[in-house]
Amino acid sequence: MKSCGVTLVTATSFCDEGKKMAAGKASGESKEESLSLTAEEEEVLGGLDSRLFGFVRLHEDGARTKTLLGKAVRCYESLILKTEGKVESDFFCQLGHFNLLLEDYPKALSAYQRYYSLQSDYWKNAVFLYGLGLVYFYYNAFHWAIKAFQEVLYVDPSFCRAKEIHLRLGLMFKVNTDYESSLKHFQLALIDCHPCTLSKVEIQFHIAHLYETQKKYHFAKEAYEQLLQTENLPAQVKATILQQLGWMHHNVDILGDKATKESYAIQYLQKSLEADPNSGQCWYFLGRCYSSIGKVQDAFVSYRQSIDKSEASADTWCSIGVLYQQQNQPMDALQAYICAVQLDHGHAAAWMDLGTLYESCSQPQDAIKCYLNATRCKSCTNTSTLAGRIKFLQAQLCNLPQSSLQNKTKLLPSIEEAWSLPIPAELTSRQGAMNTAQQASKTHHPKTEPVLGLSQTPILQQPLPVQMIPSSQVDGLSSPAKKRRTSSPIKHLEQLHANTDNLNPAQKLMLEQLENHFVSMQQGLHKGQSSHLSGPNDEQPSFSTGPAQYLEAASIGIQKQTGHGTQEAALNHLSSHIATSGGQQGTTFTKESQPSGNRSLVPETSRHAGDIPNGCAVVKGLSDHVQQLTVEPVCGPNHGNSISPNLLISDSPQISASLIGKASDSVGTGAYDKASNIYPAIHTKTNNSNTSSPSSVVFTTIPFSKSTEQTTTHSVSSLNNPQNRLHTINGEGLENVQSSEKPDLPLISFKSDPQIIPSMSMSIYSNSTEVLKACRNLGNNGLSSSPIFFDKCPPPRPPTSPYPPLPKDKLNPPTPSIYLENKRDAFFPPLHQFCTNPKNPVTVIRGLAGALKLDLGLFSTKTLVEANNEHMVEVRTQLLQPADENWDPTGTKKIWRCESNRSHTTIAKYAQYQASSFQESLREENEKRMQHKDYSDNESTSSNISGKRRKGPFKTIKFGTNIDLSDDKKWKLQLHELTKLPAFVRVVSAGNLLSHLGHSILGMNTVQLYMKVPGSRTPGHQENNNFCSVNINIGPGDCEWFVVPEDYWGVLNDFCEKNNLNFLMSSWWPNLEDLYEANVPVYRFIQRPGDLVWINAGTVHWVQAIGWCNNIAWNVGPLTACQYKLAVERYEWNKLRSVKSVVPMVHLSWNMARNIKVSDPKLFEMIKYCLLKVLKQCQTLREALITAGKEVIWHGRTNDEPAHYCSICEVEVFDLLFVTNESNSQKTYIVHCQDCARKTSRNLDNFVVLEQYKMEDLMQVYDQFTLVSEINMFLQYHPPLLDIAP
């Protein structure tokens, strides 16, 4: 790991040089003296970096520190000018830290990006990544903040601010609606004993809030009530919890009958106000409760209190309007609604209620205008209903004579007149807020959505405050009123160009400066200079900000409330708790009005500007301050010639020019190459030479050579492409397939740490004694969760889309298919080679069951019921939709999210459902024939039915999935029948990697059954750890498959992120139109009864049943270098994304070394390298524990004992298990990894360490695993016994 602290040697030398230069000038020049740093100051600054953000007090007793930081920044900026930016990269990293601690985010971002562009191995510096993540977090660039924080935890799992990272990841994932990931990170933060921005009860509140957001109301209620029992609970936290309980009782039907719910709601809200009487939000909620039970006067009083607390919002005024309307006071209602829509132009509920008011007063023209405004709001959820109402009113207007419309007396002013009416006295105090909303509406692009703030969690039913600190405790760090508003330089440039003739000298000078600035930006960054961007998948956002431009993260919560009859959608404003470098407990953000409904984190303008996440972020701040943050995409293969803005931000034009000049000087033909070199997988040139491989430089025995030579043609790396191919059926040749290798993906990175031996000092050809000798006395920390594959490479990243893109006529390739006629064909060796060829992402083996005389009837529903009718079935409730489309539940728009609810039943019950579904379909078909007997064209009839189906609402179906057939006693006949299959597709075989695990992984090295009705969907996914998959259709119906090659999984990952989906964990169904637009090829085919589908390693696929059928499936791991490589890459990617790897690759690698002989040099080198890394880790950790006086207790392993995972973070734990004393005494053995154990107990006082392998045994396995020649293996090798104890 690179040293977290950046030394000041460079700065000192430059300062000394500055002194010498100053000495040569007039003695009266004292400026140089003031910019020099003393030795004592240098020592203090050496300990200041991003890790202190939020923990150093600069606004109270830390004034000296703040002054010192300011002096250091001025000194560094002066040196940049003197050296024309020619300083070492660490210089910029430290400058970024200083600016971050001073909360000068634009300058911090500029310095960090400069360091990023200069330091090729930037990813080893966890403190840099942490600081960069904090800056992105501040700008609401959650996509990039998440990436930065995840890389910190990947390269340094024991990072001292890991708890803070988990907290912020939990908040961001909650905003992104990835609730499973959010909960995991909150729980990881909760168990960590290190300091953090939030207290333990505040983190527990977020977890309760998360349950409520997920509509797990009973869990949320229990968590809230448990929190209320906490001793010494802060008043603000207590008030917030009570407020949530009150509002939840008001909204959630399952918590009781209406009268009881409202009674509890009012009680909770009143208790909340006792704890915090100044909460305008709580007063508003109380008013809503009173209104729902008819206590109009009490409701008015509560709303009045809400306004008096300076928290009047569009919601409050909309609710007041409803009350006035219910009391038959239309003019007062009109004014209240106008106040609401003036505060928030996008408040759909207020526009709808206003339209209803005009309609009730027989003013259809004004009602239509209001309804139209409502349909244009992002938060509008019933557009179709409003459209029907608008058509109805327009029809009415057409039927009325014109004279009657002109002569009719209006009860209310028209909408135009009402908009111009004087603001009522009640709103006078809120004039500032209204002006803010008006300015925002003028400034923002009409299709731009505001970016959610830290705590802007989209909530479906209820508002959940996430701020527990009163505003009196924080100063105005985030208050835009205290920060200067400036216009964008580009806007200045446009304005000045338009009025060149009328400019005064000062304005002409400004125009010249802006032109030079803009030209510099184009010339430098258009070539890919010091931007964070290196391609459409790995690019990081840059922010175009002028000098002294500051942007604030607003904290605004969103929910859809009930009320206002059936039309109301109200909005709650949440406040946020965020760390500041000033050491405050938090910063309170205003509860400024925002459009109701769910927000997209990515505004639409960013999509128009190149589809880069967070490309254009409109960030709303406090009070009357609104700024727009623009991010433009850099040049990339998928983004045309778009230009990245200037990344180097400074208050000093001279410094900015110096930085830009330095950057521009460094940009030549290789500048883009340098940026791409940071990501080895991007735009790599075809090259089979080992000499150019970074892995060869680092480690002469690294398996795959991977060229990092970059070209502007963006070609994709490939290995040994065969030129000679045999005739095949829609696939690659059956011979010489091993000479064809799949294009390499990004190599897996490894944390470099001075405590661990350098990777180049040890070879896989060293024996185990040399390895252990080199590992002794290297430090006091083991690396239980460090990467196991490839040193000297950055953290894993998804691959970019292959270049050049395929032509449109190649995006529907024919599916590789093999037709079998007899048993001999099935066992023909080239069939195995054809299926495992990486060039064939999928292979359909037609007629397999017939050729092998398989009795598929053993897997029929009837036989299954007879064999084990009470066997458990997991049921997924889904919507019946066309196979090539995925609509939202209303049928109004295509989406990627594929919802399904989980439940359980038995085989007998599902069989009954399957049969009844078939009978119901027959009845419906007969009815349709009767209704359409006049139609002779069946095709037009079916298309008509399909057209109707797409409009929704959709029929609900149930899919029986993940039925376990692993028990060889229950399913003896079925499992025995599968032994007729060829060896390479069998569940158990010596050539199947998964057969060497030594224990069962359900559904992978065991058989699973799927029982389907038409429309049953298996959503998009790659198999666990990218292993191959075998699927046989039992029948009687067909299945339709969609398949995308492994090379394109990065593109699908990007689509998932754009749709707020987790590629690994969420349920998604790709939109084919999106894929074709992105030049992604899709194989599409029908699997008939008896067909076997072979899914190759890493292939992305999704499946839908066409008819009633059953399927059986399992995974297979061919003994190939490609399979092992992809499996380990996914193992590391899972670790980066905090996802459990179902296949324990470390455990599997050691078992492979025990059980098999390897003749493939690439496969051997990868396995051996993994063994070397693990052996080093085990020895290093053992040494550290012994040095610390911690006893290692022998525990051993039992036969068939599964691999172990950390019960907290779910990483694989090998050999040394950290178990709590209590768990050990109870023999439950709840395992922790070393990092999680130390987070819980810093000195491991509460843990015992259990050893499962003797070091001598591991050394013997390591030494005996050697490369054998194919001839020797043929003569000497015998298939291993698969029951060898792991």
Side-chain angles (χ1 to χ4, degrees), residues 138-141 444 448-453 456 480 543 550-556 592 594 603 616-622 625-630:
Y138 169 83
Y139 282 120
N140 287 333
H444 297 168
T448 297
E449 296 179 3
V451 169
L452 300 180
Q456 270 182 302
F543 297 86
Y550 302 93
L551 299 127
E552 289 306 323
S555 170
I556 298 154
E592 186 178 79
Q594 295 286 339
C616 180
V618 177
V619 186
K620 286 196 176 182
L622 296 173
H625 185 68
V626 178
Q627 299 227 19
Q628 180 159 323
L629 180 61
T630 304

Side-chain angles (χ1 to χ4, degrees), residues 150-190:
Q150 286 177 333
E151 291 191 2
V152 174
L153 297 176
Y154 182 84
V155 300
D156 188 5
S158 58
F159 187 67
C160 63
R161 291 288 177 249
K163 183 174 183 178
E164 184 74 18
I165 290 176
H166 285 303
L167 169 64
R168 291 174 184 259
L169 284 173
L171 294 171
M172 290 186 288
F173 280 125
K174 185 164 66 170
V175 170
N176 289 349
T177 68
D178 187 352
Y179 301 126
E180 187 173 349
S181 297
S182 177
L183 178 61
K184 182 172 184 176
H185 285 289
F186 281 143
Q187 290 173 336
L188 287 169
L190 200 58

Side-chain angles (χ1 to χ4, degrees), residues 592-898:
E592 186 178 79
S593 180
Q594 295 286 339
S596 59
N598 292 338
R599 299 323 196 258
S600 167
L601 187 62
V602 184
E604 290 194 9
T605 50
S606 68
R607 304 185 187 108
H608 300 313
D611 292 333
I612 291 185
N614 298 305
C616 180
V618 177
V619 186
K620 286 196 176 182
L622 296 173
S623 182
D624 59 347
H625 185 68
V626 178
Q627 299 227 19
Q628 180 159 323
L629 180 61
T630 304
V631 183
E632 298 180 17
V634 77
C635 290
N638 292 346
H639 296 286
N641 295 323
S642 53
I643 301 172
S644 174
N646 176 24
L647 307 178
L648 308 169
I649 306 160
S650 171
D651 286 335
S652 169
Q654 288 179 308
I655 294 175
S656 294
S658 174
L659 293 176
I660 295 166
K662 165 66 179 173
S664 299
D665 291 341
S666 68
V667 175
T669 58
Y672 188 80
D673 303 343
K674 174 173 174 43
S676 295
N677 271 329
I678 299 175
Y679 305 97
I682 298 175
H683 313 145
T684 53
K685 179 180 177 181
T686 301
N687 192 329
N688 296 329
S689 172
N690 286 330
T691 60
S692 64
S693 168
S695 57
S696 300
V697 175
V698 173
F699 212 101
T700 57
T701 57
I702 291 299
F704 284 162
S705 62
K706 189 172 188 70
S707 170
T708 55
E709 181 181 350
Q710 308 297 317
T711 68
T712 55
T713 57
H714 306 35
S715 37
V716 180
S717 63
S718 60
L719 297 174
N720 306 324
N721 291 326
Q723 300 299 325
N724 300 323
R725 300 180 181 178
L726 297 181
H727 175 71
T728 63
I729 305 174
N730 300 337
E732 295 297 320
L734 294 178
E735 297 180 5
N736 299 324
V737 291
Q738 292 187 357
S739 67
S740 174
E741 288 293 343
K742 191 168 191 146
D744 289 335
L745 294 182
L747 302 181
I748 306 304
S749 66
F750 167 67
K751 180 178 71 174
S752 164
D753 193 298
Q755 298 170 352
I756 303 301
I757 56 176
S759 60
M760 287 188 292
S761 67
M762 189 60 58
S763 164
I764 62 173
Y765 296 106
S766 303
N767 61 42
S768 60
T769 303
E770 294 172 341
V771 174
L772 264 60
K773 183 178 179 180
C775 287
R776 290 195 174 95
N777 303 318
L778 288 175
N780 57 3
N781 286 314
L783 297 176
S784 59
S785 58
S786 67
I788 65 170
F789 200 48
F790 289 138
D791 260 347
K792 302 292 185 183
C793 291
R797 293 181 175 87
T800 57
S801 181
Y803 192 91
L806 293 174
K808 295 298 182 182
D809 60 348
K810 301 292 185 182
L811 297 182
N812 287 110
T815 304
S817 304
I818 301 291
Y819 294 84
L820 303 183
E821 296 181 358
N822 50 51
K823 185 176 180 179
R824 181 181 177 183
D825 291 345
F827 286 85
F828 189 47
L831 176 61
H832 177 198
Q833 298 171 352
F834 183 88
C835 291
T836 56
N837 185 345
K839 297 297 181 182
N840 296 327
V842 60
T843 301
V844 183
I845 303 178
R846 306 282 188 186
L848 176 74
L852 296 177
K853 296 185 168 68
L854 287 178
D855 184 4
L856 299 184
L858 290 172
F859 299 93
S860 67
T861 300
K862 179 181 178 182
T863 306
L864 295 172
V865 172
E866 293 173 352
N868 293 285
N869 62 344
E870 293 300 316
H871 197 68
M872 186 66 66
V873 177
E874 178 184 326
V875 176
R876 290 286 184 168
T877 303
Q878 302 174 334
L879 299 178
L880 176 61
Q881 303 198 49
D884 56 352
E885 297 175 352
N886 187 56
W887 296 80
D888 67 349
T890 63
T892 55
K893 63 178 180 179
K894 292 182 180 180
I895 59 175
W896 276 64
R897 188 178 296 275
C898 181

Side-chain angles (χ1 to χ4, degrees), residues 65-129:
T65 304
K66 183 177 182 180
T67 302
L68 177 58
L69 286 170
K71 179 180 178 181
V73 169
R74 292 193 299 274
C75 177
Y76 278 35
E77 289 177 345
S78 175
L79 297 177
I80 292 174
L81 287 175
K82 292 175 183 176
T83 61
E84 298 181 354
K86 297 177 181 179
V87 295
E88 294 182 3
S89 58
D90 286 350
F91 190 88
F92 289 101
C93 183
Q94 196 162 13
L95 182 60
H97 295 329
F98 295 162
N99 282 309
L100 174 65
L101 294 178
L102 289 170
E103 300 162 29
D104 193 338
Y105 298 100
K107 284 187 177 182
L109 178 63
S110 173
Y112 282 145
Q113 289 180 318
R114 193 76 178 99
Y115 172 80
Y116 173 93
S117 67
L118 295 173
Q119 189 71 30
S120 60
D121 59 349
Y122 69 92
W123 50 273
K124 295 181 182 178
N125 191 339
V127 180
F128 156 71
L129 292 172

